[in-house]
Amino acid sequence: DTAVSQTPKYLVTQMGNDKSIKCEQNLGHDTMYWYKQDSKKFLKIMFSYNNKELIINETVPNRFSPKSPDKAHLNLHINSLELGDSAVYFCASSQEGKAFFGQGTRLTVV
Amino acid sequence: AQSVAQPEDQVNVAEGNPLTVKCTYSVSGNPYLFWYVQYPNRGLQFLLKYITGDNLVKGSYGFEAEFNKSQTSFHLKKPSALVSDSALYFCAVRDIGSSNTGKLIFGQGTTLQVKP
């Protein structure tokens, strides 16, 4: 019944690895997002997709590549992970301005 | 560019007392303003929003917010705080730029600590 679900909840990996975070929403929303929350709790948008099309890419390194196979899914793939990528990544979907967030994926790069 | 600011990193209040968490905004055009709450190790939850209409907006868990156009503020309030209200609160403005993506621009967050 979870509206926006993302997996995994925790991800610990070594520098240089490639990893993916998956996100699914069952709300029927057309727009999905990835946000990054850093260690100081600042939240910043990374990507936005509308109906499977990329509409925002906020100066994110091209090691980060979102993929939307359908409008209910927005996955985030990260290549060549760096220490600075350690953060909590939130997926969200929205309708009429109100956003619903997943529980977050805490990524730790060691 | 749209932005919001939350001037307080932390607000401390005793249980049963009224609470205010401050937010000011800077937008071109009419603001679409939101409050979200983040409990530890959880995602953000929607509390309330202002788009048009009454300046006093009521939301979840007994929270309300007052839109003040002259002061460009959208402070979050609750008449009587509960210990369970302790969390991180974010004010946000919806970006209504040319692409109309609906993305949210968040303030830096305010930690609310309610003590018994």
Side-chain angles (χ1 to χ4, degrees):
Chain A
D1 282 278
T2 305
V4 181
S5 60
Q6 49 184 114
T7 55
K9 190 171 180 181
Y10 299 98
L11 185 53
V12 181
T13 188
Q14 290 187 322
M15 281 175 56
N17 283 353
D18 303 338
K19 290 292 177 185
S20 292
I21 307 172
K22 295 186 176 182
C23 178
E24 176 181 3
Q25 55 101 357
N26 62 7
L27 298 166
H29 293 165
D30 287 336
T31 308
M32 295 185 72
Y33 308 85
W34 278 106
Y35 286 86
K36 180 180 179 180
Q37 186 174 43
D38 65 20
S39 58
K40 295 184 179 176
K41 306 293 185 184
F42 292 147
L43 267 165
K44 191 170 179 192
I45 191 160
M46 300 173 69
F47 300 103
S48 173
Y49 267 70
N50 185 274
N51 208 5
K52 302 195 298 176
E53 285 192 33
L54 177 67
I55 51 175
I56 296 177
N57 180 342
E58 289 277 328
T59 60
V60 177
N62 57 15
R63 296 182 295 105
F64 290 79
S65 53
K67 293 255 185 330
S68 181
D70 55 62
K71 75 173 196 177
H73 295 84
L74 180 61
N75 304 324
L76 183 65
H77 188 75
I78 316 169
N79 288 330
S80 304
L81 278 155
E82 300 177 357
L83 292 176
D85 297 332
S86 296
V88 182
Y89 294 84
F90 287 101
C91 177
S93 70
S94 77
Q95 191 91 337
E96 298 175 352
K98 178 178 171 182
F100 294 80
F101 286 80
Q103 82 247 21
T105 296
R106 182 175 294 276
L107 171 64
T108 303
V109 183
V110 297
Chain B
Q2 329 263 38
S3 66
V4 290
Q6 296 177 241
E8 303 152 316
D9 285 340
Q10 182 155 329
V11 170
N12 297 311
V13 63
E15 189 174 31
N17 283 0
L19 69 87
T20 299
V21 182
K22 295 180 181 177
C23 173
T24 58
Y25 65 88
S26 174
V27 303
S28 52
N30 294 323
Y32 288 16
L33 295 161
F34 302 81
W35 276 101
Y36 284 82
V37 59
Q38 184 179 20
Y39 296 102
N41 300 314
R42 302 285 299 276
L44 278 74
Q45 296 177 35
F46 172 83
L47 277 179
L48 49 81
K49 68 178 178 182
Y50 172 84
I51 299 179
T52 60
D54 287 342
N55 289 343
L56 187 63
V57 179
K58 293 193 183 297
S60 308
Y61 312 123
F63 283 93
E64 57 190 27
E66 187 169 10
F67 172 69
N68 187 317
K69 189 172 182 178
S70 62
Q71 296 185 4
T72 61
S73 67
F74 188 56
H75 300 332
L76 181 70
K77 300 182 180 187
K78 187 172 182 181
S80 178
L82 299 172
V83 172
S84 58
D85 293 329
S86 299
L88 181 58
Y89 290 80
F90 288 96
C91 182
V93 63
R94 182 181 170 192
D95 182 23
I96 51 172
S98 59
S99 57
N100 196 17
T101 61
K103 75 177 184 183
L104 293 171
I105 298 167
F106 287 92
Q108 55 269 56
T110 298
T111 299
L112 173 66
Q113 194 73 256
V114 181
K115 298 189 176 171

